[in-house]
Amino acid sequence: MIKLVAIDLDGTLLNDEKGVDLENIKAIQRVKSLGIKVVICTGRPLFTAKPIIDLLGPVVSEEYLIIYNGAVLYRLDQKKLIYQNHLSLSDLKFFKQLMDELDMPLNALTLDTIYESPKIIPGRPNLYRKAFPNAPFEKKNFDDFSEDQIFLKFVVTAEASFLKQQMARIPRHLWDDYSICLSHPFQLEVMAKGVSKSQTLKRLGDYLSISMKEVLALGDQLNDMDLLQVAGIGVAMENADDRLKEIADFVTKSNNQAGVAYALDHFI
């Protein structure tokens, strides 16, 4: 029996126009009415995820979000931070130097702000700012932060082929020392070691006494792979990365065809 549904946002719940189809909204409201927890699991920060959550209907008792790719577990009805796993200022300075060498812009995210360096890399615009033009960006010299400043993730954006090329130059040990994933073909994300959507979902499951066998998870990108693997039922979108579809238990319709609603109606 499904007791919790974990849903990614971009490429999954959201269509290509960054909207939520009415069929998806109705399906999610139906599932909630059955007493099943619906948990958004996204790489997005709270301030870009919240406007989408608001479209899904009234917040219910004990409603949770997994954001920043699992770096944060947030209780929505109480506006309360339940768990976080953060990066330090020394991590930021290290990755800033590395990304300068790789000619890629770096964004550093906190709970309420996206910080970007004032330094401009010729020919490499900040695609993250372009993707979220209304998000709270702030240009700041990274040397001006206080030593106790914490960050929830770093985001590196570049044209897909260039990013893939430069990723090969990232020292191998960093992939073990940090949690690094590709959330979009043009976007690389860095979190503290051990951070993932699946680990935070397990933490939430333990708290709610829900086993992973009782979870249905939906996603489309490689940062959703661990989520689909731990869930009792892992659902990949038709538009998902082929590697995700290979490990999924079920492939639903695309994000432009209300694939979330199709999967929920199929299993619940």
mmCIF file of all heavy atoms in Angstrom, residues 187-227:
data_model
loop_
_atom_site.group_PDB
_atom_site.id
_atom_site.type_symbol
_atom_site.label_atom_id
_atom_site.label_comp_id
_atom_site.label_asym_id
_atom_site.label_seq_id
_atom_site.Cartn_x
_atom_site.Cartn_y
_atom_site.Cartn_z
ATOM 1 N N GLN A 187 23.425 21.991 -16.023
ATOM 2 C CA GLN A 187 23.516 22.424 -14.621
ATOM 3 C C GLN A 187 24.112 21.344 -13.725
ATOM 4 O O GLN A 187 23.565 20.252 -13.589
ATOM 5 C CB GLN A 187 22.118 22.793 -14.121
ATOM 6 C CG GLN A 187 22.078 23.375 -12.725
ATOM 7 C CD GLN A 187 20.734 24.005 -12.430
ATOM 8 O OE1 GLN A 187 20.258 24.851 -13.193
ATOM 9 N NE2 GLN A 187 20.106 23.603 -11.343
ATOM 10 N N LEU A 188 25.225 21.698 -13.082
ATOM 11 C CA LEU A 188 25.910 20.820 -12.133
ATOM 12 C C LEU A 188 25.674 21.358 -10.729
ATOM 13 O O LEU A 188 25.738 22.568 -10.508
ATOM 14 C CB LEU A 188 27.402 20.781 -12.444
ATOM 15 C CG LEU A 188 28.254 19.784 -11.639
ATOM 16 C CD1 LEU A 188 27.956 18.361 -12.079
ATOM 17 C CD2 LEU A 188 29.738 20.094 -11.794
ATOM 18 N N GLU A 189 25.410 20.464 -9.784
ATOM 19 C CA GLU A 189 25.145 20.903 -8.418
ATOM 20 C C GLU A 189 26.082 20.207 -7.437
ATOM 21 O O GLU A 189 26.396 19.023 -7.590
ATOM 22 C CB GLU A 189 23.681 20.635 -8.056
ATOM 23 C CG GLU A 189 22.724 21.257 -9.076
ATOM 24 C CD GLU A 189 21.310 21.406 -8.573
ATOM 25 O OE1 GLU A 189 21.042 21.053 -7.407
ATOM 26 O OE2 GLU A 189 20.470 21.888 -9.353
ATOM 27 N N VAL A 190 26.525 20.953 -6.448
ATOM 28 C CA VAL A 190 27.449 20.446 -5.428
ATOM 29 C C VAL A 190 26.800 20.616 -4.062
ATOM 30 O O VAL A 190 26.399 21.727 -3.687
ATOM 31 C CB VAL A 190 28.786 21.215 -5.458
ATOM 32 C CG1 VAL A 190 29.729 20.685 -4.372
ATOM 33 C CG2 VAL A 190 29.438 21.111 -6.841
ATOM 34 N N MET A 191 26.685 19.520 -3.319
ATOM 35 C CA MET A 191 26.170 19.550 -1.959
ATOM 36 C C MET A 191 27.182 18.898 -1.015
ATOM 37 O O MET A 191 28.180 18.331 -1.463
ATOM 38 C CB MET A 191 24.835 18.791 -1.864
ATOM 39 C CG MET A 191 23.640 19.501 -2.463
ATOM 40 S SD MET A 191 23.597 19.483 -4.289
ATOM 41 C CE MET A 191 23.546 17.726 -4.651
ATOM 42 N N ALA A 192 26.920 18.967 0.257
ATOM 43 C CA ALA A 192 27.779 18.305 1.244
ATOM 44 C C ALA A 192 27.743 16.794 1.026
ATOM 45 O O ALA A 192 26.768 16.242 0.498
ATOM 46 C CB ALA A 192 27.318 18.643 2.653
ATOM 47 N N LYS A 193 28.793 16.125 1.424
ATOM 48 C CA LYS A 193 28.882 14.672 1.268
ATOM 49 C C LYS A 193 27.689 13.996 1.940
ATOM 50 O O LYS A 193 27.297 14.347 3.048
ATOM 51 C CB LYS A 193 30.179 14.156 1.874
ATOM 52 C CG LYS A 193 30.373 12.659 1.689
ATOM 53 C CD LYS A 193 31.755 12.205 2.114
ATOM 54 C CE LYS A 193 31.903 10.704 1.866
ATOM 55 N NZ LYS A 193 33.270 10.236 2.059
ATOM 56 N N GLY A 194 27.114 13.026 1.243
ATOM 57 C CA GLY A 194 25.992 12.275 1.792
ATOM 58 C C GLY A 194 24.627 12.841 1.473
ATOM 59 O O GLY A 194 23.610 12.201 1.739
ATOM 60 N N VAL A 195 24.592 14.044 0.892
ATOM 61 C CA VAL A 195 23.295 14.661 0.566
ATOM 62 C C VAL A 195 22.716 14.030 -0.693
ATOM 63 O O VAL A 195 23.398 13.891 -1.707
ATOM 64 C CB VAL A 195 23.455 16.184 0.366
ATOM 65 C CG1 VAL A 195 22.191 16.779 -0.280
ATOM 66 C CG2 VAL A 195 23.737 16.870 1.690
ATOM 67 N N SER A 196 21.470 13.653 -0.621
ATOM 68 C CA SER A 196 20.738 13.172 -1.800
ATOM 69 C C SER A 196 19.252 13.205 -1.472
ATOM 70 O O SER A 196 18.854 13.245 -0.299
ATOM 71 C CB SER A 196 21.149 11.738 -2.181
ATOM 72 O OG SER A 196 20.708 10.804 -1.197
ATOM 73 N N LYS A 197 18.449 13.174 -2.493
ATOM 74 C CA LYS A 197 17.010 13.137 -2.278
ATOM 75 C C LYS A 197 16.613 11.872 -1.517
ATOM 76 O O LYS A 197 15.768 11.897 -0.623
ATOM 77 C CB LYS A 197 16.268 13.187 -3.620
ATOM 78 C CG LYS A 197 16.381 14.509 -4.360
ATOM 79 C CD LYS A 197 15.577 14.474 -5.658
ATOM 80 C CE LYS A 197 15.664 15.783 -6.426
ATOM 81 N NZ LYS A 197 14.862 15.755 -7.668
ATOM 82 N N SER A 198 17.243 10.752 -1.867
ATOM 83 C CA SER A 198 16.860 9.479 -1.255
ATOM 84 C C SER A 198 17.198 9.427 0.232
ATOM 85 O O SER A 198 16.422 8.910 1.042
ATOM 86 C CB SER A 198 17.538 8.313 -1.980
ATOM 87 O OG SER A 198 18.943 8.351 -1.805
ATOM 88 N N GLN A 199 18.360 9.956 0.619
ATOM 89 C CA GLN A 199 18.747 9.912 2.029
ATOM 90 C C GLN A 199 17.813 10.749 2.890
ATOM 91 O O GLN A 199 17.458 10.364 4.011
ATOM 92 C CB GLN A 199 20.193 10.383 2.191
ATOM 93 C CG GLN A 199 21.224 9.397 1.666
ATOM 94 C CD GLN A 199 21.101 8.023 2.300
ATOM 95 O OE1 GLN A 199 21.049 7.885 3.519
ATOM 96 N NE2 GLN A 199 21.049 6.994 1.467
ATOM 97 N N THR A 200 17.404 11.903 2.370
ATOM 98 C CA THR A 200 16.493 12.742 3.141
ATOM 99 C C THR A 200 15.087 12.152 3.144
ATOM 100 O O THR A 200 14.353 12.262 4.130
ATOM 101 C CB THR A 200 16.496 14.176 2.588
ATOM 102 O OG1 THR A 200 17.850 14.646 2.578
ATOM 103 C CG2 THR A 200 15.665 15.113 3.440
ATOM 104 N N LEU A 201 14.709 11.494 2.056
ATOM 105 C CA LEU A 201 13.425 10.801 2.038
ATOM 106 C C LEU A 201 13.411 9.671 3.068
ATOM 107 O O LEU A 201 12.417 9.463 3.771
ATOM 108 C CB LEU A 201 13.139 10.250 0.640
ATOM 109 C CG LEU A 201 11.798 9.519 0.478
ATOM 110 C CD1 LEU A 201 10.634 10.479 0.708
ATOM 111 C CD2 LEU A 201 11.691 8.883 -0.905
ATOM 112 N N LYS A 202 14.520 8.928 3.185
ATOM 113 C CA LYS A 202 14.614 7.880 4.200
ATOM 114 C C LYS A 202 14.487 8.467 5.605
ATOM 115 O O LYS A 202 13.829 7.898 6.478
ATOM 116 C CB LYS A 202 15.946 7.137 4.074
ATOM 117 C CG LYS A 202 16.042 6.197 2.886
ATOM 118 C CD LYS A 202 17.409 5.533 2.861
ATOM 119 C CE LYS A 202 17.571 4.596 1.677
ATOM 120 N NZ LYS A 202 18.923 3.986 1.634
ATOM 121 N N ARG A 203 15.131 9.611 5.807
ATOM 122 C CA ARG A 203 15.045 10.290 7.101
ATOM 123 C C ARG A 203 13.591 10.655 7.418
ATOM 124 O O ARG A 203 13.112 10.466 8.537
ATOM 125 C CB ARG A 203 15.924 11.542 7.064
ATOM 126 C CG ARG A 203 16.000 12.319 8.376
ATOM 127 C CD ARG A 203 16.874 13.555 8.201
ATOM 128 N NE ARG A 203 18.251 13.198 7.950
ATOM 129 C CZ ARG A 203 19.173 13.019 8.898
ATOM 130 N NH1 ARG A 203 18.839 13.170 10.162
ATOM 131 N NH2 ARG A 203 20.408 12.705 8.576
ATOM 132 N N LEU A 204 12.891 11.181 6.412
ATOM 133 C CA LEU A 204 11.481 11.529 6.596
ATOM 134 C C LEU A 204 10.645 10.275 6.818
ATOM 135 O O LEU A 204 9.755 10.255 7.676
ATOM 136 C CB LEU A 204 10.965 12.294 5.380
ATOM 137 C CG LEU A 204 9.479 12.675 5.399
ATOM 138 C CD1 LEU A 204 9.148 13.547 6.603
ATOM 139 C CD2 LEU A 204 9.085 13.375 4.104
ATOM 140 N N GLY A 205 10.933 9.220 6.072
ATOM 141 C CA GLY A 205 10.203 7.974 6.235
ATOM 142 C C GLY A 205 10.351 7.415 7.645
ATOM 143 O O GLY A 205 9.370 6.950 8.242
ATOM 144 N N ASP A 206 11.557 7.458 8.182
ATOM 145 C CA ASP A 206 11.775 6.994 9.559
ATOM 146 C C ASP A 206 10.958 7.826 10.538
ATOM 147 O O ASP A 206 10.361 7.296 11.481
ATOM 148 C CB ASP A 206 13.262 7.074 9.916
ATOM 149 C CG ASP A 206 14.109 6.043 9.178
ATOM 150 O OD1 ASP A 206 13.527 5.067 8.662
ATOM 151 O OD2 ASP A 206 15.333 6.227 9.118
ATOM 152 N N TYR A 207 10.933 9.140 10.303
ATOM 153 C CA TYR A 207 10.210 10.041 11.194
ATOM 154 C C TYR A 207 8.698 9.772 11.162
ATOM 155 O O TYR A 207 8.015 9.840 12.191
ATOM 156 C CB TYR A 207 10.502 11.489 10.782
ATOM 157 C CG TYR A 207 9.794 12.529 11.603
ATOM 158 C CD1 TYR A 207 10.181 12.804 12.911
ATOM 159 C CD2 TYR A 207 8.729 13.259 11.064
ATOM 160 C CE1 TYR A 207 9.531 13.776 13.660
ATOM 161 C CE2 TYR A 207 8.075 14.225 11.807
ATOM 162 C CZ TYR A 207 8.486 14.478 13.105
ATOM 163 O OH TYR A 207 7.836 15.429 13.846
ATOM 164 N N LEU A 208 8.187 9.440 9.977
ATOM 165 C CA LEU A 208 6.751 9.213 9.805
ATOM 166 C C LEU A 208 6.364 7.744 9.932
ATOM 167 O O LEU A 208 5.199 7.392 9.775
ATOM 168 C CB LEU A 208 6.306 9.727 8.426
ATOM 169 C CG LEU A 208 6.462 11.223 8.164
ATOM 170 C CD1 LEU A 208 6.118 11.546 6.713
ATOM 171 C CD2 LEU A 208 5.584 12.034 9.115
ATOM 172 N N SER A 209 7.359 6.886 10.196
ATOM 173 C CA SER A 209 7.136 5.433 10.271
ATOM 174 C C SER A 209 6.568 4.888 8.961
ATOM 175 O O SER A 209 5.642 4.064 8.939
ATOM 176 C CB SER A 209 6.205 5.079 11.447
ATOM 177 O OG SER A 209 6.785 5.473 12.673
ATOM 178 N N ILE A 210 7.139 5.372 7.860
ATOM 179 C CA ILE A 210 6.777 4.892 6.523
ATOM 180 C C ILE A 210 8.005 4.244 5.908
ATOM 181 O O ILE A 210 9.071 4.866 5.828
ATOM 182 C CB ILE A 210 6.292 6.050 5.633
ATOM 183 C CG1 ILE A 210 4.990 6.643 6.188
ATOM 184 C CG2 ILE A 210 6.088 5.586 4.185
ATOM 185 C CD1 ILE A 210 4.494 7.873 5.435
ATOM 186 N N SER A 211 7.882 2.996 5.492
ATOM 187 C CA SER A 211 9.012 2.302 4.878
ATOM 188 C C SER A 211 9.140 2.703 3.417
ATOM 189 O O SER A 211 8.166 3.148 2.794
ATOM 190 C CB SER A 211 8.842 0.790 4.992
ATOM 191 O OG SER A 211 7.892 0.325 4.047
ATOM 192 N N MET A 212 10.323 2.520 2.860
ATOM 193 C CA MET A 212 10.535 2.873 1.458
ATOM 194 C C MET A 212 9.702 1.984 0.529
ATOM 195 O O MET A 212 9.378 2.394 -0.589
ATOM 196 C CB MET A 212 12.020 2.781 1.106
ATOM 197 C CG MET A 212 12.883 3.855 1.761
ATOM 198 S SD MET A 212 12.407 5.572 1.341
ATOM 199 C CE MET A 212 11.440 6.040 2.791
ATOM 200 N N LYS A 213 9.296 0.816 0.998
ATOM 201 C CA LYS A 213 8.444 -0.049 0.186
ATOM 202 C C LYS A 213 7.055 0.560 -0.007
ATOM 203 O O LYS A 213 6.322 0.176 -0.927
ATOM 204 C CB LYS A 213 8.317 -1.424 0.849
ATOM 205 C CG LYS A 213 9.597 -2.242 0.841
ATOM 206 C CD LYS A 213 9.376 -3.598 1.483
ATOM 207 C CE LYS A 213 10.653 -4.421 1.480
ATOM 208 N NZ LYS A 213 10.455 -5.755 2.122
ATOM 209 N N GLU A 214 6.718 1.505 0.863
ATOM 210 C CA GLU A 214 5.401 2.149 0.800
ATOM 211 C C GLU A 214 5.448 3.493 0.074
ATOM 212 O O GLU A 214 4.531 4.299 0.179
ATOM 213 C CB GLU A 214 4.870 2.340 2.221
ATOM 214 C CG GLU A 214 4.664 1.025 2.964
ATOM 215 C CD GLU A 214 4.366 1.218 4.438
ATOM 216 O OE1 GLU A 214 5.130 1.962 5.106
ATOM 217 O OE2 GLU A 214 3.387 0.615 4.933
ATOM 218 N N VAL A 215 6.544 3.720 -0.665
ATOM 219 C CA VAL A 215 6.751 4.989 -1.363
ATOM 220 C C VAL A 215 6.676 4.808 -2.874
ATOM 221 O O VAL A 215 7.220 3.851 -3.432
ATOM 222 C CB VAL A 215 8.117 5.598 -0.983
ATOM 223 C CG1 VAL A 215 8.429 6.825 -1.849
ATOM 224 C CG2 VAL A 215 8.154 5.969 0.499
ATOM 225 N N LEU A 216 5.997 5.728 -3.536
ATOM 226 C CA LEU A 216 5.990 5.849 -4.990
ATOM 227 C C LEU A 216 6.757 7.117 -5.322
ATOM 228 O O LEU A 216 6.442 8.196 -4.789
ATOM 229 C CB LEU A 216 4.552 5.951 -5.508
ATOM 230 C CG LEU A 216 4.341 6.345 -6.974
ATOM 231 C CD1 LEU A 216 4.818 5.235 -7.892
ATOM 232 C CD2 LEU A 216 2.867 6.657 -7.243
ATOM 233 N N ALA A 217 7.782 7.018 -6.157
ATOM 234 C CA ALA A 217 8.607 8.183 -6.496
ATOM 235 C C ALA A 217 8.619 8.405 -8.000
ATOM 236 O O ALA A 217 8.696 7.447 -8.779
ATOM 237 C CB ALA A 217 10.026 7.998 -5.983
ATOM 238 N N LEU A 218 8.573 9.688 -8.404
ATOM 239 C CA LEU A 218 8.566 10.046 -9.822
ATOM 240 C C LEU A 218 9.667 11.050 -10.108
ATOM 241 O O LEU A 218 9.869 12.007 -9.355
ATOM 242 C CB LEU A 218 7.228 10.666 -10.216
ATOM 243 C CG LEU A 218 5.959 9.849 -10.002
ATOM 244 C CD1 LEU A 218 5.289 10.249 -8.696
ATOM 245 C CD2 LEU A 218 4.972 10.040 -11.157
ATOM 246 N N GLY A 219 10.385 10.843 -11.238
ATOM 247 C CA GLY A 219 11.449 11.771 -11.604
ATOM 248 C C GLY A 219 11.837 11.648 -13.058
ATOM 249 O O GLY A 219 11.315 10.801 -13.796
ATOM 250 N N ASP A 220 12.804 12.508 -13.468
ATOM 251 C CA ASP A 220 13.191 12.512 -14.881
ATOM 252 C C ASP A 220 14.686 12.643 -15.133
ATOM 253 O O ASP A 220 15.165 12.334 -16.219
ATOM 254 C CB ASP A 220 12.485 13.650 -15.618
ATOM 255 C CG ASP A 220 13.078 15.016 -15.275
ATOM 256 O OD1 ASP A 220 13.116 15.362 -14.071
ATOM 257 O OD2 ASP A 220 13.529 15.719 -16.190
ATOM 258 N N GLN A 221 15.458 13.107 -14.123
ATOM 259 C CA GLN A 221 16.884 13.349 -14.356
ATOM 260 C C GLN A 221 17.753 12.463 -13.467
ATOM 261 O O GLN A 221 17.254 11.756 -12.587
ATOM 262 C CB GLN A 221 17.217 14.823 -14.131
ATOM 263 C CG GLN A 221 16.716 15.764 -15.222
ATOM 264 C CD GLN A 221 17.400 15.551 -16.569
ATOM 265 O OE1 GLN A 221 18.549 15.132 -16.625
ATOM 266 N NE2 GLN A 221 16.698 15.840 -17.660
ATOM 267 N N LEU A 222 19.068 12.521 -13.698
ATOM 268 C CA LEU A 222 19.976 11.639 -12.974
ATOM 269 C C LEU A 222 19.998 11.908 -11.480
ATOM 270 O O LEU A 222 20.318 11.013 -10.691
ATOM 271 C CB LEU A 222 21.391 11.752 -13.558
ATOM 272 C CG LEU A 222 21.543 11.288 -15.018
ATOM 273 C CD1 LEU A 222 22.991 11.413 -15.466
ATOM 274 C CD2 LEU A 222 21.059 9.841 -15.173
ATOM 275 N N ASN A 223 19.664 13.136 -11.055
ATOM 276 C CA ASN A 223 19.608 13.391 -9.619
ATOM 277 C C ASN A 223 18.368 12.776 -8.972
ATOM 278 O O ASN A 223 18.187 12.864 -7.751
ATOM 279 C CB ASN A 223 19.675 14.896 -9.312
ATOM 280 C CG ASN A 223 18.494 15.677 -9.865
ATOM 281 O OD1 ASN A 223 17.968 15.356 -10.925
ATOM 282 N ND2 ASN A 223 18.087 16.721 -9.155
ATOM 283 N N ASP A 224 17.512 12.137 -9.792
ATOM 284 C CA ASP A 224 16.355 11.402 -9.273
ATOM 285 C C ASP A 224 16.610 9.897 -9.234
ATOM 286 O O ASP A 224 15.757 9.147 -8.736
ATOM 287 C CB ASP A 224 15.122 11.656 -10.155
ATOM 288 C CG ASP A 224 14.722 13.109 -10.192
ATOM 289 O OD1 ASP A 224 14.699 13.738 -9.126
ATOM 290 O OD2 ASP A 224 14.439 13.629 -11.296
ATOM 291 N N MET A 225 17.749 9.451 -9.725
ATOM 292 C CA MET A 225 17.985 8.010 -9.844
ATOM 293 C C MET A 225 17.940 7.317 -8.492
ATOM 294 O O MET A 225 17.287 6.270 -8.325
ATOM 295 C CB MET A 225 19.308 7.730 -10.552
ATOM 296 C CG MET A 225 19.567 6.235 -10.756
ATOM 297 S SD MET A 225 20.959 5.878 -11.836
ATOM 298 C CE MET A 225 20.290 6.302 -13.438
ATOM 299 N N ASP A 226 18.636 7.865 -7.505
ATOM 300 C CA ASP A 226 18.641 7.232 -6.188
ATOM 301 C C ASP A 226 17.252 7.234 -5.572
ATOM 302 O O ASP A 226 16.871 6.313 -4.843
ATOM 303 C CB ASP A 226 19.650 7.916 -5.267
ATOM 304 C CG ASP A 226 19.290 9.370 -4.974
ATOM 305 O OD1 ASP A 226 19.031 10.121 -5.936
ATOM 306 O OD2 ASP A 226 19.271 9.760 -3.793
ATOM 307 N N LEU A 227 16.469 8.266 -5.882
ATOM 308 C CA LEU A 227 15.103 8.361 -5.379
ATOM 309 C C LEU A 227 14.255 7.207 -5.908
ATOM 310 O O LEU A 227 13.530 6.551 -5.149
ATOM 311 C CB LEU A 227 14.507 9.703 -5.808
ATOM 312 C CG LEU A 227 13.179 10.142 -5.192
ATOM 313 C CD1 LEU A 227 13.326 10.392 -3.709
ATOM 314 C CD2 LEU A 227 12.662 11.397 -5.898
#
